[in-house]
Amino acid sequence: QISSLIIAKDLMKYGSFKTKTWRIPHQVMNSNDIEIISNFLIGLYDSDGSVSGYAISLTSSSQKGLIDTLNILHKLGIKGKVRSDRQYFTITITSRPNIIQFRNIIGFTIQRKMKRFESMYKLKRNAI
């Protein structure tokens, strides 16, 4: 939720951000700038991402938005899988190389998510 009308109007220039129909703005999708892509993903994962067990997940009711997300994750060398439970779609990132790449390029800025993430990373690193 944004309370600034100026910011809200500016954001709407980049596309639809409705729950079921959002897509990644074409400026991000078509970019080869890792900083632009990673900053977008940081915001997305900080707001809708989660860490549980040995997986990083992102859940949404927008299938197209998650397919876009998976495509830009692939640009960064991060592989994940999209699953559906009829109402929601989830991208799950699991393997150690993908988790390390996620940490190096994206990570989390929300402390509670970062603590869970770092705990998972240490467990995976020590297990090998």
Side-chain angles (χ1 to χ4, degrees):
Q1 184 176 12
I2 298 173
S3 59
S4 170
L5 184 60
I6 295 169
I7 294 171
K9 283 183 178 180
D10 183 59
L11 283 174
M12 295 314 291
K13 292 179 197 171
Y14 298 100
S16 171
F17 295 99
K18 294 181 181 181
T19 303
K20 292 185 178 188
T21 60
W22 69 268
R23 302 286 304 263
I24 294 181
H26 71 274
Q27 293 87 342
V28 177
M29 284 298 296
N30 297 328
S31 178
N32 289 318
D33 186 330
I34 292 173
E35 189 174 353
I36 289 171
I37 296 169
S38 65
N39 283 328
F40 182 87
L41 290 170
I42 288 167
L44 192 58
Y45 274 89
D46 273 352
S47 63
D48 293 331
S50 64
V51 177
S52 178
Y54 293 102
I56 302 162
S57 300
L58 179 69
T59 300
S60 174
S61 58
S62 173
Q63 181 181 21
K64 290 180 180 181
L66 285 191
I67 290 170
D68 287 352
T69 303
L70 192 60
N71 287 332
I72 63 172
L73 283 167
H74 286 172
K75 274 187 177 182
L76 302 176
I78 301 168
K79 292 185 179 22
K81 294 180 181 174
V82 176
R83 295 192 175 113
S84 169
D85 71 358
R86 293 189 184 156
Q87 198 171 21
Y88 295 99
F89 302 89
T90 302
I91 292 176
T92 306
I93 300 168
T94 55
S95 75
R96 184 177 190 268
N98 291 313
I99 289 168
I100 291 170
Q101 187 75 343
F102 183 94
R103 184 206 65 196
N104 291 342
I105 299 175
I106 303 165
F108 293 97
T109 61
I110 295 176
Q111 290 300 314
R112 66 181 161 77
K113 290 183 182 185
M114 195 59 187
K115 284 181 184 177
R116 276 192 220 139
F117 179 74
E118 284 299 323
S119 175
M120 174 189 56
Y121 174 73
K122 288 176 187 170
L123 287 171
K124 287 187 87 49
R125 188 175 72 201
N126 292 337
I128 292 180

